[in-house]
Amino acid sequence: MHGLKKPANADWTIPQDWAAYTPQEHRTWDRLFERQSAMLQGRASQAFLKAVDVLRLGQPGIPDFEVLNEKLAKLTGFEVVAVPGLVPDAVFFDHLAHRRFVSGRFIRTPEQMDYLEEPDIFHDVFGHVPMLADPMFADYMQAYGEGGLRAGSLHAIDKLARLYWYTVEFGLVREAGGLKLYGAGIVSSYGESVFALDDPSPNRLGFDLERVMRTRYRIDDYQQTYFVIDSFEELLRQTVETDFAPLYEALAVQEDLEPPTVLGSDRVYHRGTQARGR
Ligand code: PHE
Ligand code: FE
């Protein structure tokens, strides 16, 4: 039944059907979890690492959403709901605006340990859910959903999507011990969780809202630029306090920036060699 591409409900959610997972699928989760959690010690943000513990994501087997949601609801009021695959933008935003995060329920095969095209439950749950247990980040995600509904009517979803990409999926945060990972696309990837932090190839630049929304991104390889936020509190404050409508208008008449671009106005933590992209 897993992988069926038809929504059962108007909001596109389907039951997780936890009992249907095979022992091999549970073992795939365990292998992915062990490999990533070892890798992320000292690399992922404090908020992420703490939440992996608090949510008990290291218990054997694929998490059961009912069990997980009890913990998550107490921490931030967020909830994880299963969907058959990618959902329309408006559906995705509406769930976020109501503090629901949509997750795939299928898990990759053992042959796909390092690469897959569609987000699976390991990416969605291990990658995203820990940050949903952080109060600041949970508020950011909800506000993002509301902002997405608004961006739809302002014809600016492509610009707002870049903010999601460079924060929620591929963000870095500055902490006392140096730069740390929090983006779900990075922390759920064995290769990119080294590359994003340690490789000389990509740029690491200070986060700037308008600059990020001008910047195109790659979906076919590791990122050529990562943006570093000062804190989750600051990210939330800035995005909530800024009216995006004038930004969208300004961006509509500006040229997009290519992913490896470094501007004179950027705060440069590391100027990438871009050796990987060549
Ligand atoms: N403040 C944004 C707007 O005016 C909404 C938003 C909040 C977007 C937080 C992203 C994150 O549209
Ligand atoms: Fe994701």
Side-chain angles (χ1 to χ4, degrees):
M1 283 296 279
H2 286 151
L4 189 76
K5 303 274 174 190
K6 209 168 91 222
N9 301 321
D11 68 358
W12 286 68
T13 62
I14 53 174
Q16 184 191 13
D17 200 6
W18 188 83
Y21 292 115
T22 65
Q24 191 194 56
E25 288 178 318
H26 287 300
R27 275 199 302 278
T28 299
W29 172 281
D30 293 345
R31 283 175 57 203
L32 287 164
F33 180 88
E34 274 155 37
R35 192 171 72 158
Q36 268 328 85
S37 54
M39 162 70 81
L40 292 175
Q41 294 309 318
R43 303 178 154 273
S45 73
Q46 283 305 318
F48 180 90
L49 292 173
K50 195 181 98 191
V52 168
D53 276 350
V54 172
L55 294 170
R56 304 259 181 278
L57 293 180
Q59 292 206 324
I62 296 171
D64 180 339
F65 289 176
E66 271 183 42
V67 178
L68 184 59
N69 281 338
E70 262 180 57
K71 300 195 182 75
L72 200 52
K74 275 186 207 135
L75 293 163
T76 59
F78 245 92
E79 190 185 348
V80 187
V81 293
V83 290
L86 293 178
V87 301
D89 289 334
V91 174
F92 176 74
F93 293 140
D94 189 71
H95 279 297
L96 281 182
H98 293 91
R99 289 176 105 82
R100 288 188 298 266
F101 185 77
V102 299
S103 169
R105 64 176 182 182
F106 77 98
I107 191 154
R108 67 195 73 184
T109 65
E111 293 72 45
Q112 297 169 311
M113 287 292 279
D114 293 308
Y115 182 77
L116 79 168
E117 271 159 37
E118 254 199 295
D120 72 341
I121 193 168
F122 185 75
H123 168 82
D124 283 334
V125 172
F126 181 85
H128 285 283
V129 171
M131 293 311 299
L132 299 174
D134 180 83
M136 298 290 167
F137 207 79
D139 284 357
Y140 173 65
M141 293 294 273
Q142 181 190 345
Y144 184 91
E146 290 162 0
L149 295 170
R150 183 169 185 231
S153 59
L154 298 171
H155 308 289
I157 288 182
D158 55 328
K159 302 294 188 303
L160 184 66
R162 292 169 179 169
L163 175 63
Y164 191 89
W165 190 266
Y166 283 118
T167 59
V168 179
E169 294 291 353
F170 293 98
L172 306 185
V173 58
R174 193 161 57 85
E175 285 186 357
L179 303 189
K180 302 289 169 180
L181 311 172
Y182 74 90
I186 307 177
V187 297
S188 62
S189 160
Y190 189 66
E192 197 153 2
S193 49
V194 175
F195 180 84
L197 222 47
D198 295 342
D199 202 281
S201 187
N203 302 318
R204 298 180 189 90
L205 308 176
F207 177 86
D208 176 273
L209 190 53
E210 184 168 354
R211 199 290 188 206
V212 163
M213 289 202 289
R214 267 184 83 187
T215 310
R216 301 158 64 87
Y217 56 81
R218 298 187 63 150
I219 58 168
D220 60 335
D221 198 356
Y222 297 160
Q223 300 308 302
Q224 291 174 297
T225 295
Y226 298 92
F227 290 97
V228 182
I229 59 168
D230 288 334
S231 69
F232 301 117
E233 190 175 5
E234 180 57 19
L235 175 67
L236 174 66
R237 193 193 58 72
Q238 230 189 64
T239 50
V240 166
E241 285 179 5
T242 304
D243 179 1
F244 283 26
L247 287 186
Y248 295 149
E249 268 180 51
L251 290 166
V253 297
Q254 268 186 311
E255 285 227 43
D256 286 344
L257 298 172
E258 292 307 315
T261 306
V262 180
L263 300 175
S265 51
D266 284 326
R267 178 154 50 112
V268 180
Y269 287 94
H270 171 77
R271 181 181 291 264
T273 62
Q274 301 300 337
R276 183 182 173 93
R278 282 203 293 266

